[in-house]
Amino acid sequence: MPPSVSQLGAAVCQVHCILLLCHGRMQPYEILIEDAYNSNFDIDIRGIPDIGHLAHKNCAAVLDFLRARYMEDLIYTTADPLLIATNPFRDLQNTGPQWIQKYHASTSPEPPKEPHVFQIARTALERLHSFDSSQTIIVSGESGAGKTEATKQLMAFLAYVKNERKGNIRIQEAVMAANPILEAFGNAKTTRNNNSSRFGRFMQLQVGPEGGILYGFIRNFLLEKVRVTQLGVDERSYHVFYQLLSGASTSLKTTLHLLRPDEYVYLKGSGCYLCPNTDDAADFRVVGQTFEKMNFRPDEVNSIWSILSGILLLGNVEFQKKETEGVPDAADLTPEKKALLSQCCELLFIDSKIVEKEFLFNMRVIGNQEIQSPVSVSKAQVNRDSLAKALYEKLFDWIVLRLNQRIQPPRWFQIVIGLLDIFGFEVFQHNSLEQLLINITNEKLQKAFIQIVFSRVSA
Ligand SMILES: Nc1ncnc2c1ncn2[C@@H]1O[C@H](COP(=O)(O)OP(=O)(O)OP(=O)(O)O)[C@@H](O)[C@H]1O
Ligand SMILES: [Mg+2]
């Protein structure tokens, strides 16, 4: 059996290689005047790639050292056993196939000493096979730091094999191809990151001794469901909604009753429909092709689009007040909204009569009698939004399950490389339970980092 999400804490304690990221856009940092002396002023920033070798390691000195390296495009620095990566926000041409070869054991017995994300991957791979023990690489950092990009680079390294494999590389291609689907359904534009992961992802990869991904398994957790029904200013909902609305053919638009993004209550709150440097229609085609590659049947894909349309339309099922049974603001639906609800339910493949009853009434069973009492408009809205969020979450879980069916091994893994790409710390104007859970998870990881660094220092 795979470990449960709650067991991840244990996995964290067993890590051997760790990656830590900082945000490249440095914020002003205030320090006391007595800390401002740059005690590392005469060091060769290229000659010292590890913070541990600095003569002075106070906070100001370390930050200045990282800044100085960043200005020279040296975005990786170690704090052994951690790797700190600062986001360059531009292509430094340092992660392509040639760079993989520079660091890969099969092509480079003596890899460069300069820290790199590929150095971490190489160490994990070597330890995986020489100790016959699973390795986990934790990618942590605030939102927009570059965790997901780093995870993709790590996967590219693990997928590399020097000699064309004779065996079947379809699984490896499928593992890599899962990314566009996961990002379409689990990522969104936020004010910090145009492609922010709104879920945690733990990937388990079986990697051959010479490299190459043989099997994989994706474990998703803590999807930010509230984004489906509520958006902050300048933020978007999940990419896939905009991809469907802009990329669907005219006939699909008609069949699914698709509207413009600004006609959906769930999307128009933020006033933001476009994502910079993103072509939603082109991405829709990529996601469609990826579904095909991953063996999703055409009827399954059509059902996915239909459910997405139904979820969006649910937000437009608005209630009106009526006084009944002593409730002054009891929720009710006009005939027009009832028709809309039944259209939604058709798209969602559920019974509209049952849904209407669940939206509008509290049901209690007394003895063998079912008693229904009307609910207020605000309670009916909560019922409706809860359904939209739960449906989206179930859809996401089902997609991950189907992806896993394509990439998982016939019997459970013996040893794996784990890659943890979680959402970064975040503080919004309105923070929900989801932000609390996200930040607690980050705090736990931070604690693990500190313990690992200090146990190394004191050892
Ligand atoms: N190594 C890199 N080289 C160039 N650009 C990068 C690199 N890493 C990240 N970026 C840029 O920064 C953006 C944000 O990175 P990414 O999505 O990986 O952040 P994240 O840490 O996963 O954030 P979140 O917690 O919001 O998911 C990317 O879309 C890309 O434009
Ligand atoms: Mg991310």
Side-chain angles (χ1 to χ4, degrees):
M1 280 292 288
S4 69
V5 175
S6 60
Q7 285 172 309
L8 276 180
V12 168
C13 301
Q14 290 162 4
V15 293
H16 299 285
C17 308
I18 297 163
L19 192 67
L20 180 71
L21 293 120
C22 289
H23 206 293
R25 292 171 293 196
M26 300 238 179
Q27 298 294 317
Y29 183 79
E30 287 184 25
I31 51 167
L32 296 172
I33 193 74
E34 54 267 33
D35 290 334
Y37 172 67
N38 186 354
S39 47
N40 293 323
F41 74 98
D42 60 346
I43 59 162
D44 167 17
I45 53 156
R46 288 186 175 268
I48 301 185
D50 191 284
I51 286 172
H53 299 150
L54 287 177
H56 300 278
K57 300 177 197 68
N58 65 53
C59 192
V62 169
L63 286 176
D64 185 61
F65 174 65
L66 289 175
R67 184 196 59 80
R69 282 179 61 83
Y70 183 74
M71 300 314 278
E72 297 284 321
D73 286 346
L74 299 170
I75 61 166
Y76 301 113
T77 305
T78 46
D80 191 44
L82 311 186
L83 178 79
I84 300 165
T86 42
N87 188 344
F89 284 103
R90 68 199 164 87
D91 188 358
L92 295 180
Q93 308 275 325
N94 64 350
T95 51
Q98 282 166 344
W99 279 81
I100 292 181
Q101 285 167 10
K102 274 191 196 186
Y103 282 90
H104 206 275
S106 64
T107 42
S108 176
E110 284 292 325
K113 293 273 178 289
E114 190 57 30
H116 198 284
V117 67
F118 294 152
Q119 209 177 49
I120 295 285
R122 175 180 174 138
T123 311
L125 196 50
E126 281 173 352
R127 291 183 181 176
L128 176 79
H129 292 294
S130 52
F131 300 145
D132 200 20
S133 151
S134 292
Q135 307 290 310
T136 293
I137 302 175
I138 297 176
V139 190
S140 165
E142 63 180 310
S143 179
K147 299 179 295 295
T148 301
E149 292 299 320
T151 304
K152 287 192 266 189
Q153 288 155 5
L154 288 164
M155 286 174 71
F157 184 93
L158 297 173
Y160 177 80
V161 257
K162 185 179 165 197
N163 299 314
E164 190 105 328
R165 243 180 305 153
K166 294 186 200 81
N168 188 349
I169 64 159
R170 273 188 309 156
I171 302 266
Q172 169 162 309
E173 284 173 359
V175 171
M176 306 303 270
N179 280 332
I181 296 184
L182 290 173
E183 289 190 14
F185 285 83
N187 288 25
K189 177 196 175 300
T190 66
T191 48
R192 299 182 65 96
N193 181 359
N194 291 338
N195 186 34
S196 183
S197 316
R198 310 313 303 159
F199 70 109
R201 169 161 63 145
F202 184 55
M203 300 224 29
Q204 289 165 296
L205 302 174
Q206 186 175 330
V207 187
E210 301 295 318
I213 297 169
L214 307 175
Y215 291 105
F217 192 83
I218 304 158
R219 187 163 286 276
N220 59 303
F221 54 97
L222 276 180
L223 178 75
E224 187 191 36
K225 299 189 291 278
V226 69
R227 182 166 297 273
V228 176
T229 59
Q230 269 174 50
L231 295 175
V233 176
D234 268 346
E235 301 221 333
R236 293 207 313 178
S237 187
Y238 289 100
H239 293 322
V240 72
F241 289 121
Y242 307 88
Q243 292 171 355
L244 174 66
L245 298 181
S246 82
S249 63
T250 315
S251 72
L252 190 61
K253 279 185 177 157
T254 313
T255 320
L256 299 184
H257 311 292
L258 296 180
L259 308 171
R260 291 193 318 268
D262 61 351
E263 292 175 298
Y264 289 106
V265 172
Y266 282 160
L267 301 185
K268 73 180 177 191
S270 73
C272 174
Y273 308 109
L274 298 174
C275 182
N277 307 320
T278 304
D279 181 342
D280 289 317
D283 289 347
F284 179 72
R285 286 190 290 277
V286 172
V287 171
Q289 287 156 4
T290 314
F291 273 135
E292 230 173 90
K293 253 192 232 164
M294 301 298 281
N295 288 355
F296 281 66
R297 296 191 313 269
D299 62 303
E300 287 178 327
V301 178
N302 285 335
S303 303
I304 293 172
W305 303 143
S306 175
I307 291 168
L308 290 177
S309 167
I311 290 172
L312 281 179
L313 264 188
L314 265 182
N316 290 9
V317 177
E318 287 165 313
F319 304 95
Q320 63 169 20
K321 273 188 208 167
K322 90 168 178 190
E323 192 174 342
T324 178
E325 297 180 38
V327 182
D329 61 346
D332 193 22
L333 288 169
T334 59
E336 188 202 334
K337 293 294 176 190
K338 266 190 194 181
L340 183 62
L341 178 60
S342 90
Q343 198 177 71
C344 286
C345 291
E346 216 171 287
L347 290 164
L348 294 166
F349 311 102
I350 48 181
D351 185 330
S352 73
K353 287 276 159 281
I354 297 176
V355 173
E356 185 184 325
K357 204 160 121 185
E358 293 291 334
F359 280 179
L360 299 179
F361 298 100
N362 256 338
M363 315 298 290
R364 275 172 303 157
V365 178
I366 299 178
N368 53 5
Q369 262 202 320
E370 194 179 58
I371 312 272
Q372 60 179 49
S373 48
V375 300
S376 65
V377 167
S378 61
K379 178 72 178 47
Q381 284 164 348
V382 171
N383 291 344
R384 176 199 61 199
D385 293 349
S386 303
L387 179 67
K389 289 188 278 188
L391 284 169
Y392 191 79
E393 188 185 38
K394 294 281 171 226
L395 178 66
F396 189 68
D397 287 347
W398 179 80
I399 288 172
V400 173
L401 183 110
R402 290 284 282 106
L403 294 174
N404 279 331
Q405 284 172 352
R406 180 86 174 79
I407 62 176
Q408 71 194 46
R411 282 179 299 280
W412 195 242
F413 305 103
Q414 294 296 316
I415 48 168
V416 286
I417 291 200
L419 294 180
L420 182 70
D421 171 18
I422 81 157
F423 19 44
F425 278 104
E426 55 189 25
V427 181
F428 298 129
Q429 211 166 359
H430 300 288
N431 296 289
S432 68
L433 177 68
E434 285 166 351
Q435 271 69 51
L436 180 72
L437 297 176
I438 288 170
N439 289 346
I440 288 175
T441 315
N442 276 288
E443 289 288 353
K444 291 260 180 208
L445 282 181
Q446 212 57 37
K447 199 170 158 208
F449 283 134
I450 289 166
Q451 274 171 350
I452 288 163
V453 172
F454 281 103
S455 67
R456 183 66 78 95
V457 170
S458 58

